[in-house]
Amino acid sequence: MNNFLDLCRAAIGAPYVITNEADMVPYLTDWRRRFTGRAQAILRPGSAEEVAALVKLCSEARVPVVPQGGNTGLVLGSVPDDSGREVVLSLGRMNRIRAVDVINNTMTVDAGCILAQIQNAAAEAGRLFPLSLGAEGSCTIGGNLSTNAGGTGVLRYGNTRELCLGLEVVTPQGEIWNGLRGLRKDNTGYDLRDLFIGAEGTLGIITGAVIKLFPQPKAQLTALAAMQTTDNALALLTLAQQRCGATLTGFELMSQFCLELVAKHYPQMQLPFPQPYPQYVLLELSDSESEEHAMETLESLITSALEEDVIQDAVVAGSIAQSRALWDLREHITLAQADEGKNIKHDVSVPISRIRDFIRETDAALAEQFPGIRMVTFGHLGDGNLHYNVSPPVGVPADEFINRQHEVNQVVHDSVNSYNGSISAEHGLGALKREEVKQYKSDVEMRLMRTIKQALDPLQLMNPGKVL
Ligand code: FAD
Ligand code: MLT
Ligand code: ZN
């Protein structure tokens, strides 16, 4: 009889200790279906106190813990290894909006709240929670904080880190750190909150958070612009930042091939142009003044961009439905690429001023070494963050191509490094990039990170094999 699991059942209730193989499956495979792990059990606590009780039991029994939110992570950070020794601790039951303070412009939430649930709760309170990403219907705020998720609003509002004022964390020793302060200024020692944000579950388990709310814009306008090159896209970014300032809240690059994949796998989603163009930019303005002011700004930007031959065509969404349709084109690229088959993803960032050279040089290097590959390049251009994804040449079996993943990664990440960029802009390292990152981080940086890990989690039970 497994005494450890019996103690877990006593702590949170037998129904929330899942050991049945079939019931465990959804928790053991990553979103990209690239890896399936094994676990002793899936634990589903209902409160921070229950998380603390479970972590204490895991610590006493030396059982490693894999915290899991929505399991939409893209770097194998939220699934267990294949040892069968670990437990997955799912925050899914902890989905209460604990408090909304519209005067302080804060919301206090359980870590297992789904991002869309939070966005809706903010809207109901007449506010905006601006974190937005394609997985928002299933990812959790705990996962967003643990990966310091980016998404499409970083340009204006920053990453998840910038959207958080306080955390509640269960430490690897099973203590509850209540740091749920809604203060914009609090200089009382080391910044523990920022230590846990982006730690990918390797330093503790986030059970609650105080997040920032923002005024709802009076008007949001979306436009899709068509152009010849990524140089044009960068010129449009400069023009948009000059003309729109802080009202520019989204700027997403998409190549023609990306949208060909979307049209192939989601035929109901069609481009609103009579002919294809090599590159597109989806941009969004959020205006606190009025609809008229927003439209004036946008029309002036588009007119200038057309006159200066920066773009060749553009459409402005005339309704919320049309805006949604344009965003759906963008948000379905990831899904369409997955439908097209296995591919090699890159989530890279380089200084915006170097993007042009990075794309030119790296495209050429890849084409030389891997003839016929199909580049699926899109992403958050305004943040210097590209999803520089590579699909196999037509006719080459995906598995055969994926076997060369390390060679492809080496070309791309060496190039990123030569431009002083990052090999993981927003998805984190997880297990996928744990080894690779050592090539690009200094010994000092690696030593400092290991020292922090050793100090907080000396038994190495928190999400082992991830990040470090
Ligand atoms: P999970 O996948 O469950 O976990 C992610 C990591 O956080 C794991 O290491 C896990 O151990 C840890 N973790 C989870 N919850 C906790 C907790 N409460 N305490 C401690 N550790 C925890 N990411 C972006 O940044 N930008 C994008 O634009 C974006 N778009 C996406 C689009 C699609 C279609 C998909 C499938 C994914 C996308 N992602 C994007 C990746 C993913 O959605 C994010 O990384 C997200 O933040 C993960 O949240 P989650 O709740 O699913 O976390
Ligand atoms: C996105 O921006 O759509 C995501 O980060 C997912 C991806 O990299 O495919
Ligand atoms: Zn992204």
Side-chain angles (χ1 to χ4, degrees):
M1 180 163 69
N2 188 325
N3 185 37
F4 165 70
L5 290 179
D6 282 342
L7 291 171
C8 291
R9 290 184 184 98
I12 66 171
Y16 304 118
V17 178
I18 301 173
T19 52
N20 168 291
E21 289 295 320
D23 296 339
M24 290 211 279
V25 165
Y27 299 89
L28 302 178
T29 300
D30 76 298
W31 185 87
R32 295 179 67 193
R33 306 213 173 304
R34 297 293 281 273
F35 179 78
T36 296
R38 294 177 53 240
Q40 280 194 49
I42 312 299
L43 307 177
R44 304 190 67 231
S47 68
E49 290 70 23
E50 287 190 357
V51 172
L54 289 174
V55 168
K56 281 198 184 95
L57 291 172
C58 291
S59 177
E60 281 148 22
R62 301 290 189 273
V63 172
V65 185
V66 180
Q68 191 179 93
N71 198 18
T72 67
L74 296 169
V75 289
L76 303 180
S78 52
V79 290
D81 63 19
D82 57 5
S83 68
R85 290 182 51 244
E86 299 176 339
V87 289
V88 172
L89 190 150
S90 167
L91 284 298
R93 283 182 60 215
M94 294 170 59
N95 57 10
R96 251 178 350 108
I97 305 278
R98 298 189 194 176
V100 179
D101 182 338
V102 289
I103 306 296
N104 198 40
N105 272 318
T106 51
M107 186 189 287
T108 307
V109 296
D110 278 356
C113 285
I114 303 292
L115 177 53
Q117 171 195 3
I118 291 176
Q119 293 167 342
N120 296 337
E124 280 158 23
R127 293 290 184 275
L128 171 73
F129 182 67
L131 181 64
S132 176
L133 47 132
E136 60 197 22
S138 41
C139 65
T140 65
I141 192 67
N144 299 148
L145 285 159
S146 297
T147 57
N148 186 26
T152 55
V154 170
L155 186 62
R156 171 71 176 71
Y157 298 103
N159 290 289
T160 309
R161 186 183 301 281
E162 283 81 29
L163 304 176
C164 178
L165 289 175
L167 285 182
E168 177 186 73
V169 174
V170 171
T171 68
Q173 293 70 35
E175 308 148 305
I176 298 177
W177 166 50
N178 181 343
L180 292 172
R181 290 182 283 275
L183 303 173
R184 282 166 176 78
K185 287 185 155 180
D186 174 11
N187 261 340
T188 49
Y190 297 114
D191 191 335
L192 298 178
R193 175 194 67 204
D194 271 352
L195 202 50
F196 290 107
I197 296 177
E200 300 183 58
T202 61
L203 299 180
I205 300 177
I206 295 172
T207 49
V210 180
I211 53 180
K212 290 180 190 171
L213 298 178
F214 293 79
Q216 270 184 340
K218 287 268 185 353
Q220 270 188 323
L221 289 181
T222 309
L224 183 66
M227 59 210 67
Q228 293 300 329
T229 67
T230 46
D231 297 1
N232 295 136
L234 289 161
L236 181 63
L237 175 62
T238 304
L239 196 58
Q241 288 175 321
Q242 283 163 356
R243 291 293 180 83
C244 312
T247 63
L248 183 67
T249 48
F251 198 92
E252 298 288 313
L253 174 73
M254 302 176 279
S255 71
Q256 168 55 21
F257 183 55
C258 295
L259 297 181
E260 269 172 31
L261 287 179
V262 173
K264 174 180 174 184
H265 295 285
Y266 300 89
Q268 74 281 17
M269 293 188 184
Q270 289 305 326
L271 261 173
F273 296 114
Q275 66 174 74
Y277 290 91
Q279 299 290 342
Y280 300 88
V281 162
L282 183 66
L283 61 94
E284 183 169 89
L285 298 194
S286 299
D287 197 308
S288 55
E289 206 175 298
S290 67
E291 186 95 26
E292 295 68 32
H293 182 256
M295 191 53 89
E296 248 172 60
T297 311
L298 188 54
E299 283 175 348
S300 155
L301 169 67
I302 288 172
T303 306
S304 302
L306 286 165
E307 283 166 357
E308 294 166 30
D309 210 19
V310 169
I311 65 175
Q312 261 66 50
D313 200 348
V315 291
V316 177
S319 67
I320 291 177
Q322 281 182 6
S323 169
R324 188 64 263 151
L326 293 177
W327 275 104
D328 279 348
L329 280 174
R330 189 284 177 217
E331 297 299 14
H332 277 73
I333 297 172
T334 299
L335 304 172
Q337 197 181 10
D339 295 338
E340 183 71 5
K342 283 185 182 169
N343 58 83
I344 299 172
K345 275 184 175 300
H346 300 97
D347 162 36
V348 298
S349 54
V350 296
I352 293 174
S353 53
R354 308 310 314 271
I355 280 198
R356 171 179 176 275
D357 297 340
F358 165 75
I359 291 177
R360 189 158 298 165
E361 183 190 305
T362 318
D363 279 3
L366 287 175
E368 189 189 336
Q369 218 164 314
F370 312 95
I373 54 167
R374 296 172 294 161
M375 295 310 300
V376 183
T377 303
F378 67 102
H380 323 289
L381 193 67
D383 319 333
N385 174 195
L386 289 176
H387 296 303
Y388 189 73
N389 298 344
V390 190
S391 282
V394 176
V396 172
D399 284 334
E400 184 188 309
F401 182 64
I402 295 297
N403 286 341
R404 302 189 69 187
Q405 165 158 277
H406 297 297
E407 296 168 65
V408 173
N409 288 347
Q410 200 68 52
V411 171
V412 174
H413 291 155
D414 281 355
S415 178
V416 165
N417 193 48
S418 72
Y419 287 104
N420 218 7
S422 168
I423 69 166
S424 181
E426 56 177 10
H427 296 163
L429 298 171
L432 190 68
K433 298 182 182 174
R434 179 198 62 211
E435 287 309 315
E436 225 183 321
V437 78
K438 292 176 194 166
Q439 295 181 48
Y440 306 109
K441 282 218 179 278
S442 68
D443 292 346
V444 171
E445 219 167 355
M446 292 309 293
R447 189 186 60 73
L448 287 171
M449 293 205 291
R450 286 199 188 97
T451 304
I452 291 168
K453 169 72 175 177
Q454 186 56 36
L456 291 180
D457 180 23
L459 296 177
Q460 307 281 320
L461 295 177
M462 282 290 143
N463 221 0
K466 313 303 178 22
V467 181
L468 289 176

